[in-house]
Amino acid sequence: MLLSARGIGKHYGPVEVLRDVSLSVRAGEIRALCGENGAGKSTLVKIITGNQPADSGEITIDGVVATIRSPADAQKLGIALVSQELSLAPNLSVLDNIWLGNETVPLWHRRRALAERARAALDEVGLEGLRLDRQVGTLGIGRQQLVEVARMLTRDARILILDEPTATLSDVEIAHVFEALRRLRARGHAIIYITHRLGEVFEVCDSVSVLRNGALVGDAATGAIDRAGLISAMLGRELGELYPPPRAAPADGRPALSVRALAVPDMVHGIDFSARAGSLTCLAGQIGSGVTEALRALCGLNEAATGEFTIGGRRVPLRSVGRARAAGVRFISENRAGEGIFLRLTIAENLLCGQLRRFSRGGLLRRRAMRTIAGELAAAVAVRPARLDVVAADLSGGNQQKLAFGRIIDGAMPGVLLMNEPTRGVDVGARAEIYRLVRRFCDEGWCVVMASSDLEEVMGLADEVITLYRGRVVRQVGRAAVTMHGLLADITQQQAA
Amino acid sequence: MMALCRNAFARDLRPYTLLGIVIVIVGVIDHGTGFFFRGATLFSIMQIFATYGLVSLAVGLSLLVREFDISVAGMVSLAGAVAVLAGARDPWLGVGLALLVGLVGGAAQGLIITRLGLGSVGVTLGGLLSFQGLTYVLTGNQSISFDHVELALALNAPIGVVLSVRSMIVIAAFVLAAVVMQFSRVGRDILATGGDRRASTMAGVNTGGIVFGVFAASGLLCALSGVVLSYGLAAASPAALSDVLAPAAAGAIIGGVSVVGGRGRPAGIAAGVLVLCVLRSGLNAAGASADMLDIATGLVLLLIAVLDAPELARRLTEWRLHRRGA
Amino acid sequence: MTGALLRVTRAASPALLLRGGGGGALLIWALLTPGFLSRLSLLSMLSAISFVGCVTVGMGFITISGNIMSLALGATVSAASVVFMASLGAGLVPAVLIALLFGAAITAAQGVVVGYFRANAILVSIAALTLILGIAAHLTGGERIYPGGDGFAFFKGRIWMLPFETWLFAGCALAGQAILSFTRIGRDIIMTGSNREAARTVGVDVPIAVIAAYAIAGATSALAGILLAARYGSGDMDIGGGYEYRAIAAVLVGGIAIRGGAGSVLRGCAGVVVITVIEMVLRLRGYGEEWQYLITGLVLLGVVMAQSEGTRR
């Protein structure tokens, strides 16, 4: 075994995120690492790459116990990670990027001296035609990833860990990456390949390890397992308890929202769908499928969106947040720190931030009324009203997300609620609470549209599912007709086994 | 032809294109009297270059790593004062002490910024006022003269018609900076840090060290500039605060340095500063007042600030679609 | 009320204790300084506080909106003094209005570029500074501008013992605080400074909020220009030199966060008082103007460093 991790355990506070996990990979093997969001994949990778210490267990390289305390240690042992967030400087050339951060490069050097090895590494990953002076920012994501792999090769990496490299790639690019991986395997590299796309597991990997809730639940050669087996290993438990029971769709379920030919350059290519009031519609798709972009466009957050968007028959202008809001559209972002919550403002301020118009008379605010309403809103989303003056940064992720829900309630008629991955980074307990909130909005007559790449959540929650692939709608199906296999097949466009 | 034009105005070539244009314009204003191409004019251009060049380089370096050192003016006058005061006996002692002050002052700012995770504008604003205040205290709030007049004469004596020791020191500093940026790991790390700090850190670049080093270098360059200036004038004075920052920033920005970081070269900065110098000397020759130079500088700065702005493209798309009524 | 109380107790952090302790020490030091309580020094402090204070109120808006500072506000003060003096021929009220509008307009223009395109605020303000100085020098030829009319004599007088400019400054500060606390645009400015993207997603018109902050800054700077012009009986382009630095120092010393989205106008005013008192004490104790610059710079540096506590989170 080139790399072998045994009995790895890890706690974050009281939460056990990894429990006695073992993972090994041989030279010349590509091992898939699968699991749902939150199954512990990224924590395991962080431990192997020295970004986090393990609480228990040991890692051996070539049978020798290795201590990996820092990313530098991992680098010296020949372990390299290509994460989804690339570590390339977009303004520099391919050559400079390959040698960036490499401590063996002499302080003074001529670039030409380094060109030869860089060239060899690029050839090895299948980028024979790429010029060394090409600026990295002008390359597509796929080739950027390969440049990063080439960088790892120049650092003598023998164990490559690729974290969902194909999530944002086109078919041609994916083919390129696969070809490079096979070539690296043939040269005796060990590769750990993290992916959500089950088709890829069977296409390119030799073996697969499955994590669920922090434990290893499957370890098999890809020849010894089939797709259905892999899916049930990943999910394991029944959907249910977490999700509130769906309500029978209202008989008069009038279409509240309809979208025609919605397009965002390069991301969404003319999608049509409709959603009913009082029901929850999920837009399901992988990263890069256009789900997020479509949702943001409907909120007015994309300045290049075109198409027709109507609510209750009234046309809503695109490309303006203000006018979308006036038409009753509300948005909850997945990126809480970035654009969801005002971390440095108080709970009260966060709850009221989108509805100041209600409290203003000729531009002046009625502070007393604001105070009262803030208290009511806090109570409505189960945040303790006594904490109104606490800054949002002091709250947990789940409670922050509840604030985002609270600010939706603004006395307006039930409108359209758009949510992008509302439970990302939220622990299981708070998830259940958020799902109940979502359902309550539906019951009050809101038309809720949610974008999600978490298929379990989609299955558990949605009244209707619209699947997207590469910026186009694949299918719109009702709850009764939704199956995990069908969803997977739709969003990955690969035949279910 | 179009492609040629576009290339000529692409960021890397822009400073040289502008420099060419400015020279032609000034030549035309000149009415072919040949004034512009006289040695004396070129000499005066290089003297102006010597005054602003290093400060521009310092500001440019800080912009390269996506920071903004606005303390430069304070450091120039502080180092000038230190050099003149300490150099009364031995000018070399003055030089050494002034450079040390620059290095320590810059490094201190760099340390505060990287260790405390603070924005550079706030910290260097504090630095600016502190350096300036220190200068006032050292000089007793008045201009002090430097007794070694022969040194001033030597610094400013023409060498080969166009150059002087003063301008040659500045040119040497530019050459050194260009060599570091082109041929050393540090140069590449500086650009990478400015291009994407998170990615560079992940790739293994010591970005904190780079930022720290850039501020230390900026302090050193400003100190050198202050020494050369005050020795050349045989005087040091607590100069007004803002008159250095604007032309210095303008030189760097015209020189192709991007305020969003990671783009620009010392040679470009030199060309950018020269654009301003040629303009000034040309406007002088044409009898226009110095105000016109200020106005031109301000307009160019504003224009480039808009062109570099991250949301420019977004707004343009928005307006285009709005006009089409899509 | 309980909310306000909560806020105070929550803020009872080491930073606040430091600030309170520092303020107390400063007060004792000031009171122990002979001549500090004399009529002359109190009046001169009030005037100084008023002039810088007006600019500080405006600078506070820019800081809170998340754009740190405008280096052009000092030049705006000067330019407004010139405009005021030049337009006095049209009468006092029109002249005041013209000067205020002028200041608001040229500063709002910076806000347009910063708000709509998200251009680098510092760079834009340097460009504006250079343009204002250049154009003004071109138009005035560097001359001092004397009043084209009169009627501003009462500006130099006192009302109920206090200088006229102090009343105007107090009004300006209270109005600024009211805008920030009690109006929608004020909340929009705070939200924009706190998190520009979040503000956008909840429907705040971010460019308008930024432009408003800049326009207010321009107007209050112009007010300082008018007051200074009235006091000296003329307007010139040096009259507001350095005011931008004193104002930003006051803003930060008062505890307005440099990263934006937090703080109040009144805090900025407290900062002005602190800086002015330090300056007066130094002067009374025989330290020259040069020491005042140094102390201001060091205090500013210390205050900026003290703010890192909040950003490290």
Side-chain angles (χ1 to χ4, degrees), chain B residues 220-243:
Chain B
L220 191 63
L221 285 170
C222 292
L224 181 61
S225 178
V227 171
V228 173
L229 189 65
S230 60
Y231 277 16
L233 295 172
S237 70
L241 287 174
S242 314
D243 354 356

PDB file of all heavy atoms in Angstrom, chain B residues 220-243:
ATOM      1  N   LEU B 220      11.784  51.835   2.216  1.00  0.00           N
ATOM      2  CA  LEU B 220      13.173  52.057   1.820  1.00  0.00           C
ATOM      3  C   LEU B 220      13.257  52.937   0.572  1.00  0.00           C
ATOM      4  O   LEU B 220      14.060  53.883   0.502  1.00  0.00           O
ATOM      5  CB  LEU B 220      13.834  50.701   1.554  1.00  0.00           C
ATOM      6  CG  LEU B 220      15.345  50.705   1.380  1.00  0.00           C
ATOM      7  CD1 LEU B 220      16.016  51.164   2.657  1.00  0.00           C
ATOM      8  CD2 LEU B 220      15.836  49.322   0.995  1.00  0.00           C
ATOM      9  N   LEU B 221      12.421  52.647  -0.410  1.00  0.00           N
ATOM     10  CA  LEU B 221      12.425  53.432  -1.646  1.00  0.00           C
ATOM     11  C   LEU B 221      12.066  54.890  -1.373  1.00  0.00           C
ATOM     12  O   LEU B 221      12.683  55.818  -1.906  1.00  0.00           O
ATOM     13  CB  LEU B 221      11.438  52.837  -2.656  1.00  0.00           C
ATOM     14  CG  LEU B 221      11.880  51.556  -3.352  1.00  0.00           C
ATOM     15  CD1 LEU B 221      10.729  50.938  -4.128  1.00  0.00           C
ATOM     16  CD2 LEU B 221      13.045  51.856  -4.293  1.00  0.00           C
ATOM     17  N   CYS B 222      11.052  55.100  -0.528  1.00  0.00           N
ATOM     18  CA  CYS B 222      10.647  56.473  -0.209  1.00  0.00           C
ATOM     19  C   CYS B 222      11.782  57.186   0.523  1.00  0.00           C
ATOM     20  O   CYS B 222      12.035  58.374   0.283  1.00  0.00           O
ATOM     21  CB  CYS B 222       9.398  56.474   0.659  1.00  0.00           C
ATOM     22  SG  CYS B 222       7.964  55.907  -0.220  1.00  0.00           S
ATOM     23  N   ALA B 223      12.451  56.453   1.414  1.00  0.00           N
ATOM     24  CA  ALA B 223      13.551  57.066   2.148  1.00  0.00           C
ATOM     25  C   ALA B 223      14.665  57.468   1.180  1.00  0.00           C
ATOM     26  O   ALA B 223      15.195  58.578   1.248  1.00  0.00           O
ATOM     27  CB  ALA B 223      14.090  56.092   3.194  1.00  0.00           C
ATOM     28  N   LEU B 224      14.985  56.568   0.247  1.00  0.00           N
ATOM     29  CA  LEU B 224      16.009  56.880  -0.744  1.00  0.00           C
ATOM     30  C   LEU B 224      15.612  58.122  -1.526  1.00  0.00           C
ATOM     31  O   LEU B 224      16.424  59.034  -1.766  1.00  0.00           O
ATOM     32  CB  LEU B 224      16.201  55.685  -1.684  1.00  0.00           C
ATOM     33  CG  LEU B 224      17.266  55.839  -2.760  1.00  0.00           C
ATOM     34  CD1 LEU B 224      18.627  56.064  -2.128  1.00  0.00           C
ATOM     35  CD2 LEU B 224      17.298  54.615  -3.671  1.00  0.00           C
ATOM     36  N   SER B 225      14.346  58.155  -1.909  1.00  0.00           N
ATOM     37  CA  SER B 225      13.834  59.310  -2.638  1.00  0.00           C
ATOM     38  C   SER B 225      13.995  60.584  -1.821  1.00  0.00           C
ATOM     39  O   SER B 225      14.426  61.622  -2.326  1.00  0.00           O
ATOM     40  CB  SER B 225      12.360  59.080  -2.982  1.00  0.00           C
ATOM     41  OG  SER B 225      11.832  60.188  -3.629  1.00  0.00           O
ATOM     42  N   GLY B 226      13.671  60.483  -0.522  1.00  0.00           N
ATOM     43  CA  GLY B 226      13.787  61.650   0.352  1.00  0.00           C
ATOM     44  C   GLY B 226      15.229  62.119   0.481  1.00  0.00           C
ATOM     45  O   GLY B 226      15.513  63.318   0.443  1.00  0.00           O
ATOM     46  N   VAL B 227      16.145  61.165   0.621  1.00  0.00           N
ATOM     47  CA  VAL B 227      17.561  61.513   0.750  1.00  0.00           C
ATOM     48  C   VAL B 227      18.041  62.232  -0.508  1.00  0.00           C
ATOM     49  O   VAL B 227      18.630  63.319  -0.451  1.00  0.00           O
ATOM     50  CB  VAL B 227      18.410  60.241   0.968  1.00  0.00           C
ATOM     51  CG1 VAL B 227      19.885  60.580   0.891  1.00  0.00           C
ATOM     52  CG2 VAL B 227      18.079  59.594   2.290  1.00  0.00           C
ATOM     53  N   VAL B 228      17.784  61.609  -1.644  1.00  0.00           N
ATOM     54  CA  VAL B 228      18.248  62.171  -2.914  1.00  0.00           C
ATOM     55  C   VAL B 228      17.667  63.566  -3.118  1.00  0.00           C
ATOM     56  O   VAL B 228      18.359  64.506  -3.538  1.00  0.00           O
ATOM     57  CB  VAL B 228      17.851  61.228  -4.071  1.00  0.00           C
ATOM     58  CG1 VAL B 228      18.169  61.868  -5.398  1.00  0.00           C
ATOM     59  CG2 VAL B 228      18.570  59.906  -3.935  1.00  0.00           C
ATOM     60  N   LEU B 229      16.379  63.699  -2.773  1.00  0.00           N
ATOM     61  CA  LEU B 229      15.712  64.985  -2.977  1.00  0.00           C
ATOM     62  C   LEU B 229      16.295  66.060  -2.069  1.00  0.00           C
ATOM     63  O   LEU B 229      16.659  67.157  -2.520  1.00  0.00           O
ATOM     64  CB  LEU B 229      14.212  64.820  -2.726  1.00  0.00           C
ATOM     65  CG  LEU B 229      13.331  66.014  -3.092  1.00  0.00           C
ATOM     66  CD1 LEU B 229      13.382  66.242  -4.603  1.00  0.00           C
ATOM     67  CD2 LEU B 229      11.897  65.780  -2.649  1.00  0.00           C
ATOM     68  N   SER B 230      16.411  65.749  -0.780  1.00  0.00           N
ATOM     69  CA  SER B 230      16.852  66.790   0.150  1.00  0.00           C
ATOM     70  C   SER B 230      18.331  67.135  -0.060  1.00  0.00           C
ATOM     71  O   SER B 230      18.715  68.301   0.018  1.00  0.00           O
ATOM     72  CB  SER B 230      16.597  66.367   1.601  1.00  0.00           C
ATOM     73  OG  SER B 230      17.309  65.189   1.889  1.00  0.00           O
ATOM     74  N   TYR B 231      19.158  66.130  -0.355  1.00  0.00           N
ATOM     75  CA  TYR B 231      20.562  66.431  -0.647  1.00  0.00           C
ATOM     76  C   TYR B 231      20.661  67.240  -1.936  1.00  0.00           C
ATOM     77  O   TYR B 231      21.475  68.159  -2.055  1.00  0.00           O
ATOM     78  CB  TYR B 231      21.391  65.138  -0.770  1.00  0.00           C
ATOM     79  CG  TYR B 231      21.846  64.584   0.571  1.00  0.00           C
ATOM     80  CD1 TYR B 231      21.262  65.023   1.751  1.00  0.00           C
ATOM     81  CD2 TYR B 231      22.859  63.642   0.657  1.00  0.00           C
ATOM     82  CE1 TYR B 231      21.665  64.519   2.973  1.00  0.00           C
ATOM     83  CE2 TYR B 231      23.284  63.142   1.880  1.00  0.00           C
ATOM     84  CZ  TYR B 231      22.678  63.579   3.040  1.00  0.00           C
ATOM     85  OH  TYR B 231      23.075  63.085   4.256  1.00  0.00           O
ATOM     86  N   GLY B 232      19.819  66.887  -2.897  1.00  0.00           N
ATOM     87  CA  GLY B 232      19.855  67.600  -4.169  1.00  0.00           C
ATOM     88  C   GLY B 232      19.424  69.051  -4.044  1.00  0.00           C
ATOM     89  O   GLY B 232      19.933  69.933  -4.729  1.00  0.00           O
ATOM     90  N   LEU B 233      18.472  69.295  -3.139  1.00  0.00           N
ATOM     91  CA  LEU B 233      17.993  70.667  -2.927  1.00  0.00           C
ATOM     92  C   LEU B 233      18.817  71.369  -1.859  1.00  0.00           C
ATOM     93  O   LEU B 233      18.639  72.559  -1.630  1.00  0.00           O
ATOM     94  CB  LEU B 233      16.528  70.656  -2.476  1.00  0.00           C
ATOM     95  CG  LEU B 233      15.504  70.134  -3.472  1.00  0.00           C
ATOM     96  CD1 LEU B 233      14.136  70.008  -2.800  1.00  0.00           C
ATOM     97  CD2 LEU B 233      15.411  71.053  -4.673  1.00  0.00           C
ATOM     98  N   ALA B 234      19.674  70.617  -1.186  1.00  0.00           N
ATOM     99  CA  ALA B 234      20.444  71.123  -0.055  1.00  0.00           C
ATOM    100  C   ALA B 234      19.524  71.696   1.015  1.00  0.00           C
ATOM    101  O   ALA B 234      19.828  72.699   1.656  1.00  0.00           O
ATOM    102  CB  ALA B 234      21.465  72.174  -0.494  1.00  0.00           C
ATOM    103  N   ALA B 235      18.366  71.087   1.160  1.00  0.00           N
ATOM    104  CA  ALA B 235      17.428  71.544   2.186  1.00  0.00           C
ATOM    105  C   ALA B 235      16.393  70.461   2.439  1.00  0.00           C
ATOM    106  O   ALA B 235      16.158  69.621   1.580  1.00  0.00           O
ATOM    107  CB  ALA B 235      16.722  72.819   1.748  1.00  0.00           C
ATOM    108  N   ALA B 236      15.818  70.489   3.617  1.00  0.00           N
ATOM    109  CA  ALA B 236      14.687  69.621   3.899  1.00  0.00           C
ATOM    110  C   ALA B 236      13.602  70.471   4.519  1.00  0.00           C
ATOM    111  O   ALA B 236      13.889  71.378   5.292  1.00  0.00           O
ATOM    112  CB  ALA B 236      15.092  68.518   4.876  1.00  0.00           C
ATOM    113  N   SER B 237      12.369  70.174   4.127  1.00  0.00           N
ATOM    114  CA  SER B 237      11.272  70.921   4.732  1.00  0.00           C
ATOM    115  C   SER B 237      10.105  69.974   4.920  1.00  0.00           C
ATOM    116  O   SER B 237       9.944  69.020   4.173  1.00  0.00           O
ATOM    117  CB  SER B 237      10.863  72.088   3.836  1.00  0.00           C
ATOM    118  OG  SER B 237      10.235  71.590   2.679  1.00  0.00           O
ATOM    119  N   PRO B 238       9.320  70.223   5.956  1.00  0.00           N
ATOM    120  CA  PRO B 238       8.122  69.402   6.136  1.00  0.00           C
ATOM    121  C   PRO B 238       7.110  69.774   5.065  1.00  0.00           C
ATOM    122  O   PRO B 238       6.246  70.623   5.277  1.00  0.00           O
ATOM    123  CB  PRO B 238       7.647  69.766   7.543  1.00  0.00           C
ATOM    124  CG  PRO B 238       8.203  71.118   7.802  1.00  0.00           C
ATOM    125  CD  PRO B 238       9.453  71.260   6.991  1.00  0.00           C
ATOM    126  N   ALA B 239       7.235  69.158   3.894  1.00  0.00           N
ATOM    127  CA  ALA B 239       6.426  69.572   2.749  1.00  0.00           C
ATOM    128  C   ALA B 239       4.956  69.269   2.979  1.00  0.00           C
ATOM    129  O   ALA B 239       4.604  68.502   3.862  1.00  0.00           O
ATOM    130  CB  ALA B 239       6.924  68.844   1.507  1.00  0.00           C
ATOM    131  N   ALA B 240       4.142  69.887   2.180  1.00  0.00           N
ATOM    132  CA  ALA B 240       2.710  69.631   2.256  1.00  0.00           C
ATOM    133  C   ALA B 240       2.454  68.157   1.963  1.00  0.00           C
ATOM    134  O   ALA B 240       3.217  67.512   1.255  1.00  0.00           O
ATOM    135  CB  ALA B 240       1.969  70.501   1.262  1.00  0.00           C
ATOM    136  N   LEU B 241       1.373  67.637   2.528  1.00  0.00           N
ATOM    137  CA  LEU B 241       1.164  66.202   2.508  1.00  0.00           C
ATOM    138  C   LEU B 241       0.837  65.624   1.142  1.00  0.00           C
ATOM    139  O   LEU B 241       1.400  64.628   0.732  1.00  0.00           O
ATOM    140  CB  LEU B 241       0.014  65.850   3.461  1.00  0.00           C
ATOM    141  CG  LEU B 241       0.319  65.945   4.942  1.00  0.00           C
ATOM    142  CD1 LEU B 241      -0.950  65.712   5.728  1.00  0.00           C
ATOM    143  CD2 LEU B 241       1.360  64.911   5.304  1.00  0.00           C
ATOM    144  N   SER B 242      -0.082  66.258   0.470  1.00  0.00           N
ATOM    145  CA  SER B 242      -0.720  65.535  -0.632  1.00  0.00           C
ATOM    146  C   SER B 242      -0.031  65.700  -1.970  1.00  0.00           C
ATOM    147  O   SER B 242      -0.321  64.963  -2.898  1.00  0.00           O
ATOM    148  CB  SER B 242      -2.159  65.989  -0.771  1.00  0.00           C
ATOM    149  OG  SER B 242      -2.753  66.032   0.480  1.00  0.00           O
ATOM    150  N   ASP B 243       0.863  66.657  -2.117  1.00  0.00           N
ATOM    151  CA  ASP B 243       1.345  66.926  -3.468  1.00  0.00           C
ATOM    152  C   ASP B 243       2.217  65.804  -4.001  1.00  0.00           C
ATOM    153  O   ASP B 243       2.511  65.778  -5.184  1.00  0.00           O
ATOM    154  CB  ASP B 243       2.107  68.257  -3.587  1.00  0.00           C
ATOM    155  CG  ASP B 243       2.073  69.047  -2.319  1.00  0.00           C
ATOM    156  OD1 ASP B 243       1.397  68.572  -1.392  1.00  0.00           O
ATOM    157  OD2 ASP B 243       2.703  70.099  -2.227  1.00  0.00           O
TER     158      ASP B 243
END
